[in-house]
Amino acid sequence: MDRHRKSFLVLHGPNLNLLGSREVGIYGSLSLAELNNLLLGEAEKLGVKLDCYQSNSEGDLIDQIHDAPGKYHGIIINPGAFTHYSIALRDALAGVNIPAVEVHLSNIYAREEFRRHSVIAPVVRGQISGFGPWSYFLALRVLNDLDD
Ligand code: DQA
């Protein structure tokens, strides 16, 4: 981990590879590659390093979380549908000593009942939900401002 330059990991969960074509009325028309490029541009402006990773598999996301301490100063995670039921993902985040922010493109509290509960929220620093790509940008700013 670079002592002089902060580095962050963005984790995109299941189905987020379909961004841009998936339920565009809810998630917008930006593709995942476009979103990642915007985030990388924002990271450059902030002078931080950023890696982006997407997986449809719970185990891959958990492995990334396990490997993050020592490599990254913080994690931005959009757990997708895992938000609502993955105790394994929650335990992974709770089990590593690294600040994380949960993000959602859509406002999960304004949607179906089953989306209104996050099992992830209690083990992260905070949650940003409903601002489209801005949810990620805000999380990056917040993580960059944290002292730990
Ligand atoms: C989402 C909201 C989740 O409920 C959903 O399963 C997703 C995307 C969001 O970014 O708004 O896949 O995390």
Side-chain angles (χ1 to χ4, degrees):
M1 188 155 65
D2 190 334
R3 278 167 184 250
H4 306 291
R5 195 165 167 231
K6 286 189 175 177
S7 55
F8 300 106
L9 174 65
V10 178
L11 290 178
H12 304 282
N15 300 306
L16 292 165
N17 54 311
L18 297 181
L19 278 184
S21 62
R22 167 196 188 204
E23 299 183 272
V24 292
I26 297 172
Y27 299 117
S29 52
L30 209 61
S31 71
L32 184 63
E34 289 167 339
L35 172 59
N36 286 340
N37 276 335
L38 289 175
L39 284 168
L40 290 170
E42 186 68 11
E44 207 173 301
K45 274 191 226 155
L46 293 171
V48 301
K49 189 179 172 301
L50 196 72
D51 289 328
C52 301
Y53 181 86
Q54 189 276 331
S55 179
N56 293 321
S57 137
E58 201 177 16
D60 284 348
L61 295 167
I62 291 169
D63 287 343
Q64 290 289 325
I65 293 166
H66 289 178
D67 287 348
K71 258 170 102 179
Y72 298 103
H73 295 85
I75 298 174
I76 295 164
I77 181 164
N78 183 346
F82 291 146
T83 304
H84 315 296
Y85 68 90
S86 176
I87 306 300
L89 209 53
R90 173 198 168 112
D91 285 352
L93 287 162
V96 292
N97 191 19
I98 181 168
V101 176
E102 174 187 342
V103 299
H104 299 283
L105 294 155
S106 65
N107 178 355
I108 59 172
Y109 300 98
R111 301 185 61 195
E112 302 96 322
E113 185 66 42
F114 66 87
R115 291 187 207 276
R116 294 185 198 157
H117 178 67
S118 168
V119 299
I120 306 296
V123 299
V124 291
R125 287 300 181 92
Q127 184 200 66
I128 303 171
S129 174
F131 298 104
W134 274 100
S135 296
Y136 289 85
F137 298 150
L138 293 168
L140 185 56
R141 299 256 178 107
V142 167
L143 274 180
N144 193 33
D145 276 357
L146 291 178
D147 282 336
D148 49 348

